Amino acid sequence: MSSSSSPSPLPSPSVLIVGSGPTGLTTLLFLLARGIPCRIIEQHNGPTDPLVSKAIAIHARTLELLSVMPDITKELLDYGVKLTGSRVYDKTGTLISEMQVGKFLEGNTLFPFMLCVPQGYTEVTLAEYAKKQFGVSVEYNTRLVDFDQNENEVIVTIEKGGVTEKLNVSYLVGADGAHSATRKKAGISFEGSRLVSEILGMDAVLEYDIPSDCGAFFWHDQYMFAIFPIPSAMAKHTTVLPSQIYARILAFDIANATSVEDEADQHAAAHGIVMREPVSLEKMQSIVAKVYPKAKLTSAGWSTCFAVSSRLASTFRNNRVFLAGDAAHIHSPIGGQGMNTGIQDGINLAWKLATVLKLTKSSSSGSRSVQLSKEQIDNILESYNVERRANAQALLDATRKSTEIVLIQSGVKQLMRNYALSLASSF
């Protein structure tokens, strides 16, 4: 007579996640929620400061997916600023386009807005939820040294404080950013182009007579800059008056921008924060004042100068090793889709890994609870690569075109762009 005993637990951990940004943490949470034991490591010695903004946009679809964990969405919604519209101004300061995006989304989603939350706060929210609900913490100051894989497992070497550890896992997930060690050690290429342009970012208190639920875009001859209201609670060293907002300001040097195609993986370094002196309040004020003189900047928080590349990994999967988020795709911040796409990568990958692990785990009798062929397992796992890489390719194409539109230098083409924007806002 056959035994009806329940399956034995999965080996611990079944999945190792490298990188504790929003992508890695989301992957962790959606695996843990399905009963898959995981570890997550991070080479930095602590979490991102919750007041550091980096990525700020969380879109409706991402909120919908995260809402299966309502405590997370409530925390983010309570803290964030909801943007329902956008305005575009030309170099004379004339309003040329106004769009109420929220009206297009109403009735189609519970979240008809773009939510502005600093990336650091999002990361802390996700990490604290993992610890509180599942007892799993990020292992900081721990780096991926190397790995090898065979048909059944990945043998990983990690290092913390000079001490190495070997562990055997079923799958390895590289969510370790644009400079991904996982991608490089897996031998996956990362081809694309880099934008040669000065891009400045600053969080600042400023006078603002535009509705606080609107993002605003401004063009003048040298710079395009954008202003996005963010939570005033982030302005920890100053008071934000009723006539003021705390905002993320992004400024693109369009007068000197060029795009360089290359295939060398080392140029992935040309993406992210450039280690320079912080941007001065005076410099950003001089840029903003050219078109929007009413926006008096009174104090600044986080600021940086950063670089942008547009790159796509040749594959998101090498057998039992997977890439997600910036480790797999990077692009211009225009559109605010980077963090959202990474979070959605993690959710897609998590349910597929969980499905395979749960359907193939051994019962205590040594038999399998469900028989999956190698081909079926491969089809499930490969669907992550097929679906998410196609999505990333479409996103890179769209952001590349959007960036080209933003960086138009010809006066005639600028007029055509502005006229098209004006027409679009009339519908």
Side-chain angles (χ1 to χ4, degrees):
M1 181 179 291
S2 62
S3 170
S4 60
S5 58
S6 60
S8 62
L10 289 163
S12 183
S14 294
V15 180
L16 175 67
I17 301 165
V18 183
S20 67
T23 299
L25 288 166
T26 302
T27 309
L28 174 76
L29 286 172
F30 277 74
L31 284 166
L32 293 173
R34 290 169 171 80
I36 305 301
C38 305
R39 286 173 66 177
I40 182 167
I41 64 173
E42 170 58 57
Q43 66 177 350
H44 295 108
N45 58 13
T48 302
D49 184 337
L51 298 182
V52 171
S53 52
K54 293 185 180 178
I56 59 171
I58 306 179
H59 292 296
R61 182 55 182 155
T62 303
L63 289 168
E64 290 170 351
L65 293 168
L66 290 175
S67 66
V68 299
M69 300 178 186
D71 287 353
I72 291 176
T73 47
K74 182 179 187 305
E75 181 72 25
L76 296 175
L77 290 168
D78 287 348
Y79 188 79
V81 174
K82 300 172 184 177
L83 300 188
T84 60
S86 65
R87 292 185 175 188
V88 181
Y89 296 82
D90 68 14
K91 62 184 180 182
T92 69
T94 302
L95 177 66
I96 59 173
S97 175
E98 182 172 10
M99 300 186 71
Q100 293 299 319
V101 180
K103 291 183 178 179
F104 292 107
L105 295 175
E106 282 179 0
N108 297 309
T109 178
L110 294 174
F111 310 102
F113 45 79
M114 182 180 84
L115 186 69
C116 286
V117 180
Q119 181 176 326
Y121 194 87
T122 300
E123 290 179 12
V124 169
T125 300
L126 297 173
E128 288 183 350
Y129 188 85
K131 184 176 182 179
K132 178 181 178 181
Q133 293 295 119
F134 304 107
V136 176
S137 298
V138 177
E139 299 175 44
Y140 293 107
N141 197 29
T142 304
R143 69 181 183 92
L144 174 70
V145 175
D146 207 353
F147 63 84
D148 194 11
Q149 60 177 320
N150 56 43
E151 187 177 338
N152 300 310
E153 62 186 357
V154 188
I155 304 95
V156 186
T157 303
I158 60 176
E159 183 269 329
K160 180 175 183 177
V163 178
T164 60
E165 175 189 355
K166 283 191 179 291
L167 61 154
N168 295 18
V169 296
S170 297
Y171 299 101
L172 175 66
V173 177
D176 44 347
H179 316 298
S180 171
T182 310
R183 184 187 66 243
K184 293 172 184 176
K185 293 180 187 300
I188 298 173
S189 63
F190 202 40
E191 299 177 0
S193 61
R194 51 198 165 97
L195 179 66
V196 181
S197 174
E198 181 179 60
I199 304 174
L200 308 177
M202 175 180 284
D203 295 345
V205 177
L206 68 152
E207 297 289 336
Y208 196 70
D209 63 352
I210 296 171
S212 60
D213 63 349
C214 279
F217 302 82
F218 303 82
W219 271 286
H220 59 75
D221 291 334
Q222 182 172 356
Y223 284 93
M224 185 286 286
F225 68 92
I227 299 175
F228 301 100
I230 56 178
S232 59
M234 294 173 63
K236 60 179 180 179
H237 297 307
T238 188
T239 300
V240 181
L241 301 175
S243 62
Q244 298 174 323
I245 62 165
Y246 198 57
R248 157 66 64 83
I249 306 172
L250 284 177
F252 290 74
D253 182 354
I254 61 176
N256 301 297
T258 58
S259 182
V260 178
E261 297 287 333
D262 63 64
E263 300 179 356
D265 188 73
Q266 67 264 28
H267 286 304
H271 188 86
I273 294 173
V274 178
M275 300 307 292
R276 299 182 186 173
E277 291 296 315
V279 180
S280 71
L281 189 68
E282 292 75 20
K283 179 166 185 174
M284 190 64 84
Q285 178 68 73
S286 70
I287 293 170
V288 171
K290 284 182 171 66
V291 179
Y292 187 36
K294 295 179 182 178
K296 298 286 191 293
L297 279 63
T298 60
S299 64
W302 178 82
S303 68
T304 190
C305 179
F306 59 96
V308 168
S309 287
S310 179
R311 299 186 182 281
L312 184 66
S314 56
T315 180
F316 288 11
R317 177 191 175 207
N318 181 342
N319 193 15
R320 290 178 171 269
V321 178
F322 296 84
L323 302 178
D326 284 359
H329 46 80
I330 53 178
H331 55 82
S332 163
I334 292 172
Q337 291 289 348
M339 181 175 68
N340 292 268
T341 307
I343 288 172
Q344 292 172 33
D345 286 347
I347 294 171
N348 184 292
L349 178 58
W351 79 256
K352 289 170 180 175
L353 291 177
T355 298
V356 167
L357 286 164
K358 282 183 167 293
L359 291 181
T360 59
K361 63 183 179 179
S362 299
S363 70
S364 58
S365 64
S367 62
R368 290 186 180 274
S369 55
V370 175
Q371 293 290 339
L372 281 181
S373 68
K374 290 182 180 179
E375 182 180 4
Q376 289 172 320
I377 293 172
D378 186 72
N379 287 341
I380 293 172
L381 298 178
E382 184 59 22
S383 69
Y384 166 75
N385 178 46
V386 172
E387 294 169 6
R388 296 312 297 171
R389 192 174 185 279
N391 180 82
Q393 180 68 73
L395 176 60
L396 261 67
D397 291 344
T399 56
R400 188 179 295 114
K401 290 174 183 176
S402 298
T403 303
E404 289 172 355
I405 292 171
V406 165
L407 300 179
I408 286 174
Q409 297 171 357
S410 162
V412 173
K413 290 182 178 179
Q414 288 176 357
L415 289 173
M416 292 172 64
R417 174 197 61 203
N418 295 350
Y419 180 66
L421 287 169
S422 177
L423 285 178
S425 66
S426 65
F427 288 98

